Amino acid sequence: RRDGHAHAGTAGGAGQSPALAQSGQTDDGEHDNSPAEPPSIPRKLEALPGRKIVAGGDKADWMYVDSWYIIGMFPNPRRVNIDTKFPPDSVIDLDAVYDVGNGRLARWEFYVSPTPRVTPPEDEEYVIYYAYTELWFDRPRDLWIAVGSDDNSRLWINGQPVWISGYQLKSWRPDEGFRRVHFQEGRNRILYRIENGHHVSGFSLLIATGENVGNPAP
């Protein structure tokens, strides 16, 4: 948000333990009832937009994360920088401005996507861009997420790596990969790094929120 209070935090890096749910027990000792296998994503995806998950909220099998701060475009000619660490890989400063070459400056811009596929408002070929958001949970929950990107992408939750896609150039699809993730009570920081190889780009983060998903077992 542009209110003079930038969110600063360390992003995920190599060697950190993934924030994956390894058991059915939450931080407060309750056992989570999310399924052992990821729920399916129908061909005609009907997902509600949002960034909060609370008991008694709107019912839908999936919620797509719609609100992001996006920054780019860090150069990646011929994909030579696909593994290069740019500043947002280390620190998230929403007031930062970066020189990305050719007399251009990159700034974080707030964007709300009307669809599960998030397409940055400024999209170019052979670049790297980042998307940052914060999710809020009423209590600790272990939930399935679905990720998808066009092209390569990496995802961190609360500074820990959760997902890295393959290096092949590919089209976006919402069910590219699934992870069962532990979300802490309150604020959860999400960082997405996305590469656009050629043509248009896009990414998505879906969270399984269907009935009984994430509710404590009886």
Side-chain angles (χ1 to χ4, degrees), residues 43-214:
R43 181 179 297 273
K44 186 178 179 181
L45 173 63
E46 295 183 359
L48 291 176
R51 288 194 299 165
K52 289 185 177 182
I53 293 183
V54 298
D58 292 336
K59 297 299 182 182
D61 288 337
W62 292 94
M63 179 187 83
Y64 76 89
V65 180
D66 64 333
S67 302
W68 299 86
Y69 286 93
I70 298 176
I71 191 170
M73 303 294 175
F74 295 92
N76 186 34
R78 300 182 302 279
R79 309 185 81 191
V80 297
N81 289 326
I82 195 168
D83 291 318
T84 298
K85 291 185 180 298
F86 294 106
D89 282 286
S90 301
V91 175
I92 302 301
D93 180 356
L94 297 183
D95 290 322
V97 180
Y98 302 107
D99 184 348
V100 294
N102 295 323
R104 302 173 64 184
L105 300 177
R107 296 177 173 86
W108 292 95
E109 300 291 343
F110 186 67
Y111 180 71
V112 178
S113 176
T115 64
R117 173 173 177 160
V118 183
T119 302
E122 296 183 11
D123 198 11
E124 298 179 12
E125 293 187 334
Y126 296 102
V127 295
I128 303 290
Y129 62 93
Y130 296 81
Y132 175 80
T133 194
E134 294 178 355
L135 307 181
W136 193 89
F137 289 76
D138 59 347
R139 63 172 179 79
R141 295 174 182 269
D142 294 342
L143 297 176
W144 283 99
I145 65 171
V147 295
S149 64
D150 176 352
D151 295 284
N152 179 263
S153 66
R154 300 104 191 270
L155 178 70
W156 294 267
I157 296 179
N158 293 324
Q160 298 189 16
V162 168
W163 167 260
I164 179 170
S165 68
Y167 285 90
Q168 72 276 15
L169 296 174
K170 55 186 172 57
S171 300
W172 170 84
R173 71 175 204 267
D175 57 351
E176 179 183 344
F178 295 88
R179 292 290 186 271
R180 189 167 179 264
V181 174
H182 177 73
F183 293 99
Q184 63 193 19
E185 181 179 350
R187 186 180 71 172
N188 291 260
R189 301 181 307 277
I190 313 297
L191 177 66
Y192 227 135
R193 172 183 166 132
I194 307 99
E195 174 215 17
N196 186 22
H198 56 71
H199 303 307
V200 296
S201 183
F203 68 94
S204 59
L205 176 59
L206 298 165
I207 303 175
T209 57
E211 187 175 2
N212 296 323
V213 173

